[in-house]
Amino acid sequence: MTYDVQKKIDEGLLKLFTKDFQPFKVVEDEGFKNVVKLLNPAYKIPYRHTISKVHIPVLYQKNLNETKELLTNESLSSCLTTDCWTSRNNIAFISIKYNFIDTQFVLRPVLLGCYEFSESHSGRNLCNTIQETLDKWNIDKKKRIILAVSDNANNIKSALNSLKVKSLGCFAHTLNLIVQDAFKLQLCLIDKIKCIVTHFRKSSRANHKLNMYQTSNGSKAPKKLMQDISTRWNSTYYMLDRFVELEDAIRGTLGLLDNPPQTLSADEWKITKELIQMLRPFEEATKAVSGSKYMTASIILVISQGLKNVCEQMARKNFTVEVINVLQQLLSGMNHRDRWGVIENSKTLVRCTFLDPRF
């Protein structure tokens, strides 16, 4: 086998790890080696340590250089996005992403860095980390960054202010806070549903009976209940939506279980269904503004006004008092001066909307 052919196959092999996230040890598996031998007996499979210590670092450096060249040649201006979060095992991270439009008018996101962040999340420390990342990539923030988008926390606002970069709060994050506040009015009901969902997800016996009930009633692919994530309001929406979708199966199965969790009353089922109807426009809005392959700034004012209009219309419907109270809380959150009031007074968003041919 020639060097060029070996190199070409090596490059294809690396995609197992860079694209499919396979473990390096796959090259030591007997089945994999037998298949490769049948396809091309002359190919010498690299050792796992050669892949991890040589090939991957070389490929990383190659991609790094190509990306730096791309930024230098094609990104005249950009929008920076950054976020901090804590993982399930209580490790803090920060990510910094650079978004620009290339010469072919394609929106290109580039992840500049994702780091473990063990220091205090003060504005100064965040500012230093972002600045160090920009220096590493030779990015002049004064010339090339026209805007930075982050959540609405004071520490990141302080950091971006110290960097002297114009900033804008993330609309999806603001929307999340508003809906989460409204959820507090129905916290008891949501917790009750969570308890039932948790029971089915933790008990293999209960889950089996739920699947059998669906199968016996004509379902070819039984569905599972979904658990929500406390930091994402729309995960609660998906949990409620699936819960109502499986209402008959849940009611039928709970009656067959020993020591089942407390089921919902007729009124609670009605409130849950109305909550889903009320929250559907917010879920659609969240999905629309969370796109990574198209511009979202120009639709924010349109969506924010649309959500207000929809809520005002729904408030006139014959919903239960509990759901009307949630609606009023949503409207109150959207009218809050420090939340959507800031958004609707943003000259940046006004310009974006004005320049969008759709509007």
Side-chain angles (χ1 to χ4, degrees), residues 15 80 94 123 135-136 161 203 229 252 258 265 285 298 320:
K15 290 182 179 179
L80 204 67
I94 182 173
D135 292 342
K136 178 182 174 182
N161 186 53
S203 170
I229 303 168
D258 298 326
S265 66
S298 64
T320 57

Side-chain angles (χ1 to χ4, degrees), residues 196-302:
I196 297 172
V197 171
T198 301
H199 183 81
F200 278 104
R201 289 178 67 88
K202 287 189 174 182
S203 170
S204 57
R205 180 179 175 82
N207 187 60
H208 175 70
K209 287 190 175 183
L210 181 67
N211 290 340
M212 290 297 294
Y213 189 98
Q214 294 179 67
T215 302
S216 63
N217 283 274
S219 176
K220 295 181 180 179
K223 294 182 179 181
K224 293 183 178 181
L225 290 171
M226 301 173 71
Q227 187 61 276
D228 72 341
I229 303 168
S230 59
T231 55
R232 295 288 182 268
W233 85 264
N234 51 345
S235 68
T236 306
Y237 168 82
Y238 297 136
M239 178 184 72
L240 299 179
D241 192 44
R242 178 60 58 83
F243 193 80
V244 167
E245 183 183 355
L246 299 180
E247 177 184 357
D248 292 340
I250 293 168
R251 285 186 165 190
T253 306
L254 285 175
L256 303 174
L257 300 179
D258 298 326
N259 300 317
Q262 186 181 4
T263 188
L264 269 60
S265 66
D267 287 342
E268 288 173 329
W269 278 107
K270 183 179 180 183
I271 292 170
T272 305
K273 293 172 185 176
E274 290 180 358
L275 281 174
I276 294 169
Q277 184 181 346
M278 180 196 67
L279 291 169
R280 190 165 288 121
F282 288 86
E283 189 270 339
E284 292 174 1
T286 300
K287 286 175 67 175
V289 299
S290 298
S292 60
K293 295 183 179 180
Y294 56 87
M295 296 298 179
T296 56
S298 64
I299 65 175
I300 289 176
L301 292 180
V302 179

Side-chain angles (χ1 to χ4, degrees), residues 85-93 115-118:
W85 74 95
T86 303
S87 66
R88 289 183 177 180
N89 54 349
N90 207 31
I91 298 176
F93 291 91
Y115 315 112
E116 186 176 333
F117 198 72
S118 56

Side-chain angles (χ1 to χ4, degrees), residues 106-120:
V106 176
L107 182 60
R108 301 287 293 268
V110 174
L111 183 66
L112 301 183
C114 181
Y115 315 112
E116 186 176 333
F117 198 72
S118 56
E119 301 178 60
S120 167

Side-chain angles (χ1 to χ4, degrees), residues 60-175:
Y60 170 80
Q61 193 60 47
K62 176 176 178 287
N63 278 277
L64 180 64
N65 294 337
E66 289 175 353
T67 305
K68 282 185 175 181
E69 186 177 351
L70 175 70
L71 296 189
T72 301
N73 296 335
E74 299 205 23
S75 68
L76 299 177
S77 61
S78 71
C79 171
L80 204 67
T81 53
T82 183
D83 191 24
C84 295
W85 74 95
T86 303
S87 66
R88 289 183 177 180
N89 54 349
N90 207 31
I91 298 176
F93 291 91
I94 182 173
S95 66
I96 303 161
K97 194 161 70 169
Y98 185 90
N99 310 272
F100 69 98
I101 300 174
D102 65 16
T103 53
Q104 302 301 313
F105 287 93
V106 176
L107 182 60
R108 301 287 293 268
V110 174
L111 183 66
L112 301 183
C114 181
Y115 315 112
E116 186 176 333
F117 198 72
S118 56
E119 301 178 60
S120 167
H121 287 200
S122 65
R124 181 185 293 275
N125 289 336
L126 292 170
C127 173
N128 291 339
T129 300
I130 296 171
Q131 184 61 64
E132 288 168 7
T133 302
L134 296 177
D135 292 342
K136 178 182 174 182
W137 285 81
N138 300 319
I139 295 173
D140 186 339
K141 62 177 183 291
K142 291 182 180 179
K143 294 181 179 179
R144 294 166 64 186
I145 298 177
I146 58 173
L147 187 71
V149 178
S150 67
D151 63 22
N152 301 281
N154 289 328
N155 55 352
I156 191 63
K157 286 182 179 178
S158 173
L160 295 173
N161 186 53
S162 298
L163 288 167
K164 296 182 179 178
V165 174
K166 186 176 181 179
S167 63
L168 189 69
C170 173
F171 178 73
H173 181 256
T174 301
L175 192 60

Side-chain angles (χ1 to χ4, degrees), residues 16-28:
L16 280 176
F17 316 112
T18 61
K19 298 292 185 184
D20 299 334
F21 306 115
Q22 295 296 322
F24 296 138
K25 72 177 185 66
V26 73
V27 296
E28 297 175 352

